[in-house]
Structure formats: structure tokens, C-alpha cells
Amino acid sequence: EAHVKGLTKLHPYVPPQLRGTYAGLASTSVIEYLVRLGVTAVELLPVHTAIDDKRLVERGLRNYWGYNTIGFFAPDLRYSASGMLGELKTMVKTLHAAGIEVLLHVVYNLTGEGDHDGPTLSFRGIDNSVYYRLDPLDKRHYLNYAGTGNCLNTAHPAVLALVMDSLRYWVKEMHVDGFRFVLAVAVARNSAFLAAIQQDPLLSQVKLIAEPWDVGPGGYRLGAFPAGWGEWNDRYRD
């Protein structure tokens, strides 16, 4: 598991102009180091375009981790030395050439629009009731299964199609080998997500790893994902 920026930002053998970038991760010194360790796959923290949370900005802080996505199809250019889409593709190709798979943390459980006081950036302005799970007792507020303000409504066919199209894009165009789904229970809750993945001829063939919990009722689902899924086991990890 690695952060694109954090892995190489202080690496003494990565050229300074490439440190903290996709190109830096694909540099010879980093590849050789991973191979020497016996690493066979890198699982990258989010590389989808993300923004800083409102509460962090108000405190003069940044969201280093990237778990505040606003673009499911767009690589975050903060990690790009060239500003070009091809840099990430080259990184994946270079890792593959060294026998290393590339998996992505994907954050389809929430977006960077935050809670009801957060910024209106995209989905909230397009159709709030379609894209988000609303509290049935007060539809001004969200069901906060993610614990960060909002929860994407993958129970709606349009939202599920968006997520599926995004996953296919990263496999077909960027050639990644699989995904680790952040708070996967929030993505799958009361939706056809798991069935859609299972019947998809492309996505059913890649590595699928669940973070098998969210903060909603009955949200701890370790061991409950279907065949073909891997799961993070937090008790073993801890």
C-alpha cells in the first residue's frame, strides 16, 4: 500500500523534478527497490482527482490522503510531473514490465461535496436526491454511512452506471489490475453493485478487494462479501 507522493517525495535517488509523482514512482530506483523487496503488487491510495475538505481548509490544513474525490475518471494532476494523462499510463506500464500489478483505492462511497453545508460542485447541483442517500426524516440532510458527511446513492441506476463506467475506464484505458473499495459496504448497501460487478465481463476478471465495513447500521461485514472478492481484515492487520 503506497501513497504516490509520499513514496517518492524524499527519495534521494529519484530526480528532484520527479519526486512525489507518477513518473517518480516509475523511476528505475523505485522499481528496483520494489523488486528487491519481492513486491508483486502496489495498492495506491486514491489517485482520482480530489479536493481538500472544507473543515480542513478552514484550519489551514490539506487532505494529504486523497479520500475526498470529485472526479471518478480524472487522475489527480497534483501527482503529475508532466501534467499529461500519459504519465500515469506509463507508470502502470513500467510497473507491469517489472512484474508488479497496480491496484487502486477507489472512493465511490462519498464525494468531496461534504455534508449539507458543503460546497456544491457537481452532483448536488445536478440532482441531489439522485446522487446522494438522503435522510428520509429530513431530506435536507444525508445518511452519513461514510462518516464524512455524505454517501453516494449507488442504489440509483444512474449512479451505479457512473461507478461501473468509471471502473471500466480505469481497467480498459489505464490498464490497472484491480481495486480496493473504500467502505465497500456503503457502496454495496441496498444496491445492485455486487451483482453488476459479478456479471460484468471485464470487471469480474480483475482483483476486487473490499474494505468490508461502513459506519451505518449493521455496517461491519467482514467475511460477508461474495466469492471472488478479497477483504481487508482489520483485526488481523491491527
Side-chain angles (χ1 to χ4, degrees):
E1 184 183 23
H3 187 286
V4 171
K5 182 177 180 180
L7 184 64
T8 64
K9 187 63 177 176
L10 301 177
H11 199 301
Y13 301 120
V14 174
Q17 70 275 16
L18 300 183
R19 292 175 188 171
T21 69
Y22 306 118
L25 199 158
S27 63
T28 301
S29 57
V30 174
I31 296 290
E32 290 179 347
Y33 173 66
L34 294 174
V35 170
R36 193 161 64 248
L37 286 176
V39 169
T40 58
V42 293
E43 186 178 283
L44 298 178
L45 274 66
V47 300
H48 292 176
T49 295
I51 62 169
D52 298 320
D53 313 55
K54 180 174 179 283
R55 62 185 179 83
L56 295 181
V57 173
E58 290 171 347
R59 299 175 186 178
L61 302 173
R62 301 293 302 274
N63 185 325
Y64 170 77
W65 302 105
Y67 291 96
N68 210 36
T69 303
I70 59 170
F72 296 142
F73 296 82
D76 200 320
L77 292 184
R78 289 179 293 181
Y79 307 143
S80 176
S82 64
M84 303 296 289
L85 187 63
E87 184 177 328
L88 190 146
K89 286 187 174 183
T90 299
M91 178 199 75
V92 174
K93 185 176 181 179
T94 304
L95 286 163
H96 282 170
I100 299 173
E101 292 183 315
V102 179
L103 311 175
L104 301 182
H105 280 212
V106 285
V107 191
Y108 297 114
N109 55 301
L110 60 94
T111 78
E113 292 192 295
D115 62 15
H116 61 283
D117 289 325
T120 297
L121 302 171
S122 53
F123 302 131
R124 177 180 287 131
I126 296 170
D127 196 322
N128 191 52
S129 64
V130 164
Y131 285 95
Y132 293 112
R133 297 179 186 265
L134 304 183
D135 184 342
L137 300 179
D138 182 358
K139 293 191 176 182
R140 179 172 178 266
H141 295 88
Y142 298 115
L143 292 173
N144 191 14
Y145 297 148
T148 56
N150 68 58
C151 189
L152 203 68
N153 184 21
T154 50
H156 193 284
V159 182
L160 179 60
L162 175 72
V163 170
M164 295 293 289
D165 285 346
S166 170
L167 292 169
R168 293 188 198 101
Y169 171 78
W170 287 91
V171 174
K172 187 175 180 180
E173 299 296 331
M174 298 299 185
H175 306 291
V176 303
D177 301 284
F179 306 95
R180 183 266 203 182
F181 293 85
V182 178
L183 298 185
V185 172
V187 184
R189 185 183 285 268
N190 301 325
S191 77
F193 172 73
L194 295 177
I197 290 279
Q198 187 175 21
Q199 60 81 41
D200 190 275
L202 181 63
L203 298 177
S204 62
Q205 303 304 307
V206 303
K207 301 273 180 76
L208 302 167
I209 304 169
E211 185 181 42
W213 53 79
D214 68 10
V215 299
Y220 191 78
R221 304 292 295 165
L222 181 65
F225 275 72
W229 281 78
E231 297 181 24
W232 270 36
N233 184 332
D234 60 316
R235 292 169 182 165
Y236 177 83
R237 175 199 63 196
D238 294 345

mmCIF file of all heavy atoms in Angstrom, residues 21-43:
data_model
loop_
_atom_site.group_PDB
_atom_site.id
_atom_site.type_symbol
_atom_site.label_atom_id
_atom_site.label_comp_id
_atom_site.label_asym_id
_atom_site.label_seq_id
_atom_site.Cartn_x
_atom_site.Cartn_y
_atom_site.Cartn_z
ATOM 1 N N THR A 21 5.615 12.067 -7.736
ATOM 2 C CA THR A 21 4.791 11.989 -8.944
ATOM 3 C C THR A 21 4.663 10.551 -9.454
ATOM 4 O O THR A 21 5.364 9.642 -9.009
ATOM 5 C CB THR A 21 5.399 12.842 -10.079
ATOM 6 O OG1 THR A 21 6.621 12.223 -10.535
ATOM 7 C CG2 THR A 21 5.676 14.260 -9.610
ATOM 8 N N TYR A 22 3.758 10.392 -10.424
ATOM 9 C CA TYR A 22 3.627 9.095 -11.092
ATOM 10 C C TYR A 22 4.944 8.692 -11.745
ATOM 11 O O TYR A 22 5.362 7.535 -11.673
ATOM 12 C CB TYR A 22 2.532 9.149 -12.164
ATOM 13 C CG TYR A 22 1.189 9.622 -11.669
ATOM 14 C CD1 TYR A 22 0.600 10.786 -12.169
ATOM 15 C CD2 TYR A 22 0.477 8.904 -10.707
ATOM 16 C CE1 TYR A 22 -0.640 11.224 -11.726
ATOM 17 C CE2 TYR A 22 -0.760 9.329 -10.261
ATOM 18 C CZ TYR A 22 -1.320 10.498 -10.768
ATOM 19 O OH TYR A 22 -2.551 10.928 -10.323
ATOM 20 N N ALA A 23 5.593 9.646 -12.371
ATOM 21 C CA ALA A 23 6.876 9.366 -13.027
ATOM 22 C C ALA A 23 7.930 8.976 -12.005
ATOM 23 O O ALA A 23 8.784 8.121 -12.262
ATOM 24 C CB ALA A 23 7.332 10.577 -13.830
ATOM 25 N N GLY A 24 7.881 9.594 -10.826
ATOM 26 C CA GLY A 24 8.821 9.237 -9.779
ATOM 27 C C GLY A 24 8.621 7.821 -9.292
ATOM 28 O O GLY A 24 9.586 7.087 -9.041
ATOM 29 N N LEU A 25 7.358 7.411 -9.178
ATOM 30 C CA LEU A 25 7.071 6.046 -8.754
ATOM 31 C C LEU A 25 7.580 5.040 -9.777
ATOM 32 O O LEU A 25 7.989 3.935 -9.424
ATOM 33 C CB LEU A 25 5.564 5.891 -8.545
ATOM 34 C CG LEU A 25 5.088 4.716 -7.691
ATOM 35 C CD1 LEU A 25 3.699 4.997 -7.129
ATOM 36 C CD2 LEU A 25 5.041 3.417 -8.490
ATOM 37 N N ALA A 26 7.571 5.440 -11.047
ATOM 38 C CA ALA A 26 8.015 4.552 -12.124
ATOM 39 C C ALA A 26 9.507 4.669 -12.410
ATOM 40 O O ALA A 26 10.001 4.042 -13.339
ATOM 41 C CB ALA A 26 7.230 4.859 -13.399
ATOM 42 N N SER A 27 10.246 5.449 -11.623
ATOM 43 C CA SER A 27 11.677 5.625 -11.870
ATOM 44 C C SER A 27 12.437 4.346 -11.551
ATOM 45 O O SER A 27 11.989 3.508 -10.760
ATOM 46 C CB SER A 27 12.217 6.782 -11.035
ATOM 47 O OG SER A 27 12.101 6.505 -9.653
ATOM 48 N N THR A 28 13.587 4.219 -12.151
ATOM 49 C CA THR A 28 14.366 2.982 -12.033
ATOM 50 C C THR A 28 14.684 2.635 -10.591
ATOM 51 O O THR A 28 14.571 1.465 -10.177
ATOM 52 C CB THR A 28 15.665 3.121 -12.835
ATOM 53 O OG1 THR A 28 15.347 3.380 -14.207
ATOM 54 C CG2 THR A 28 16.494 1.851 -12.745
ATOM 55 N N SER A 29 15.060 3.628 -9.786
ATOM 56 C CA SER A 29 15.462 3.345 -8.409
ATOM 57 C C SER A 29 14.299 2.790 -7.587
ATOM 58 O O SER A 29 14.478 1.880 -6.770
ATOM 59 C CB SER A 29 16.020 4.614 -7.749
ATOM 60 O OG SER A 29 15.070 5.656 -7.786
ATOM 61 N N VAL A 30 13.097 3.317 -7.798
ATOM 62 C CA VAL A 30 11.936 2.843 -7.058
ATOM 63 C C VAL A 30 11.535 1.442 -7.525
ATOM 64 O O VAL A 30 11.246 0.556 -6.707
ATOM 65 C CB VAL A 30 10.757 3.825 -7.187
ATOM 66 C CG1 VAL A 30 9.497 3.259 -6.534
ATOM 67 C CG2 VAL A 30 11.107 5.158 -6.552
ATOM 68 N N ILE A 31 11.514 1.233 -8.827
ATOM 69 C CA ILE A 31 11.170 -0.086 -9.364
ATOM 70 C C ILE A 31 12.144 -1.139 -8.842
ATOM 71 O O ILE A 31 11.735 -2.215 -8.384
ATOM 72 C CB ILE A 31 11.174 -0.072 -10.903
ATOM 73 C CG1 ILE A 31 10.094 0.859 -11.456
ATOM 74 C CG2 ILE A 31 10.998 -1.495 -11.448
ATOM 75 C CD1 ILE A 31 8.685 0.391 -11.262
ATOM 76 N N GLU A 32 13.420 -0.837 -8.895
ATOM 77 C CA GLU A 32 14.430 -1.798 -8.426
ATOM 78 C C GLU A 32 14.254 -2.093 -6.937
ATOM 79 O O GLU A 32 14.424 -3.231 -6.497
ATOM 80 C CB GLU A 32 15.834 -1.263 -8.707
ATOM 81 C CG GLU A 32 16.189 -1.248 -10.190
ATOM 82 C CD GLU A 32 17.572 -0.689 -10.461
ATOM 83 O OE1 GLU A 32 18.156 -0.094 -9.519
ATOM 84 O OE2 GLU A 32 18.066 -0.841 -11.591
ATOM 85 N N TYR A 33 13.911 -1.072 -6.171
ATOM 86 C CA TYR A 33 13.690 -1.242 -4.738
ATOM 87 C C TYR A 33 12.503 -2.164 -4.477
ATOM 88 O O TYR A 33 12.581 -3.084 -3.652
ATOM 89 C CB TYR A 33 13.463 0.127 -4.103
ATOM 90 C CG TYR A 33 13.060 0.099 -2.654
ATOM 91 C CD1 TYR A 33 13.934 -0.366 -1.669
ATOM 92 C CD2 TYR A 33 11.801 0.542 -2.252
ATOM 93 C CE1 TYR A 33 13.573 -0.383 -0.331
ATOM 94 C CE2 TYR A 33 11.426 0.525 -0.915
ATOM 95 C CZ TYR A 33 12.313 0.063 0.041
ATOM 96 O OH TYR A 33 11.939 0.045 1.366
ATOM 97 N N LEU A 34 11.391 -1.939 -5.190
ATOM 98 C CA LEU A 34 10.205 -2.777 -5.013
ATOM 99 C C LEU A 34 10.495 -4.226 -5.399
ATOM 100 O O LEU A 34 10.092 -5.160 -4.698
ATOM 101 C CB LEU A 34 9.049 -2.228 -5.841
ATOM 102 C CG LEU A 34 8.502 -0.858 -5.422
ATOM 103 C CD1 LEU A 34 7.455 -0.378 -6.433
ATOM 104 C CD2 LEU A 34 7.911 -0.894 -4.027
ATOM 105 N N VAL A 35 11.202 -4.409 -6.496
ATOM 106 C CA VAL A 35 11.549 -5.761 -6.945
ATOM 107 C C VAL A 35 12.454 -6.437 -5.925
ATOM 108 O O VAL A 35 12.282 -7.626 -5.603
ATOM 109 C CB VAL A 35 12.214 -5.706 -8.333
ATOM 110 C CG1 VAL A 35 12.802 -7.075 -8.710
ATOM 111 C CG2 VAL A 35 11.218 -5.263 -9.395
ATOM 112 N N ARG A 36 13.401 -5.687 -5.398
ATOM 113 C CA ARG A 36 14.331 -6.235 -4.411
ATOM 114 C C ARG A 36 13.594 -6.685 -3.135
ATOM 115 O O ARG A 36 13.963 -7.671 -2.507
ATOM 116 C CB ARG A 36 15.395 -5.194 -4.080
ATOM 117 C CG ARG A 36 16.604 -5.735 -3.312
ATOM 118 C CD ARG A 36 17.795 -4.791 -3.414
ATOM 119 N NE ARG A 36 17.536 -3.502 -2.780
ATOM 120 C CZ ARG A 36 17.424 -2.339 -3.459
ATOM 121 N NH1 ARG A 36 17.553 -2.330 -4.773
ATOM 122 N NH2 ARG A 36 17.204 -1.218 -2.812
ATOM 123 N N LEU A 37 12.552 -5.967 -2.785
ATOM 124 C CA LEU A 37 11.737 -6.340 -1.623
ATOM 125 C C LEU A 37 10.864 -7.560 -1.889
ATOM 126 O O LEU A 37 10.340 -8.169 -0.960
ATOM 127 C CB LEU A 37 10.837 -5.175 -1.215
ATOM 128 C CG LEU A 37 11.484 -3.986 -0.513
ATOM 129 C CD1 LEU A 37 10.446 -2.893 -0.287
ATOM 130 C CD2 LEU A 37 12.117 -4.390 0.801
ATOM 131 N N GLY A 38 10.672 -7.908 -3.167
ATOM 132 C CA GLY A 38 9.776 -9.005 -3.521
ATOM 133 C C GLY A 38 8.335 -8.571 -3.681
ATOM 134 O O GLY A 38 7.427 -9.410 -3.693
ATOM 135 N N VAL A 39 8.101 -7.270 -3.822
ATOM 136 C CA VAL A 39 6.742 -6.750 -4.002
ATOM 137 C C VAL A 39 6.189 -7.210 -5.346
ATOM 138 O O VAL A 39 6.864 -7.107 -6.374
ATOM 139 C CB VAL A 39 6.741 -5.206 -3.915
ATOM 140 C CG1 VAL A 39 5.404 -4.637 -4.362
ATOM 141 C CG2 VAL A 39 7.071 -4.753 -2.493
ATOM 142 N N THR A 40 4.958 -7.722 -5.350
ATOM 143 C CA THR A 40 4.325 -8.177 -6.588
ATOM 144 C C THR A 40 3.130 -7.318 -6.984
ATOM 145 O O THR A 40 2.574 -7.491 -8.062
ATOM 146 C CB THR A 40 3.863 -9.637 -6.468
ATOM 147 O OG1 THR A 40 2.954 -9.747 -5.358
ATOM 148 C CG2 THR A 40 5.055 -10.557 -6.242
ATOM 149 N N ALA A 41 2.705 -6.414 -6.101
ATOM 150 C CA ALA A 41 1.602 -5.508 -6.421
ATOM 151 C C ALA A 41 1.732 -4.255 -5.567
ATOM 152 O O ALA A 41 2.108 -4.333 -4.392
ATOM 153 C CB ALA A 41 0.252 -6.162 -6.175
ATOM 154 N N VAL A 42 1.436 -3.103 -6.153
ATOM 155 C CA VAL A 42 1.318 -1.873 -5.377
ATOM 156 C C VAL A 42 -0.153 -1.491 -5.340
ATOM 157 O O VAL A 42 -0.848 -1.541 -6.350
ATOM 158 C CB VAL A 42 2.167 -0.713 -5.941
ATOM 159 C CG1 VAL A 42 3.646 -1.017 -5.807
ATOM 160 C CG2 VAL A 42 1.814 -0.414 -7.388
ATOM 161 N N GLU A 43 -0.618 -1.143 -4.147
ATOM 162 C CA GLU A 43 -2.001 -0.730 -3.958
ATOM 163 C C GLU A 43 -1.957 0.750 -3.618
ATOM 164 O O GLU A 43 -1.570 1.145 -2.517
ATOM 165 C CB GLU A 43 -2.625 -1.545 -2.824
ATOM 166 C CG GLU A 43 -4.113 -1.308 -2.638
ATOM 167 C CD GLU A 43 -4.669 -2.196 -1.528
ATOM 168 O OE1 GLU A 43 -4.867 -3.401 -1.791
ATOM 169 O OE2 GLU A 43 -4.881 -1.692 -0.418
#
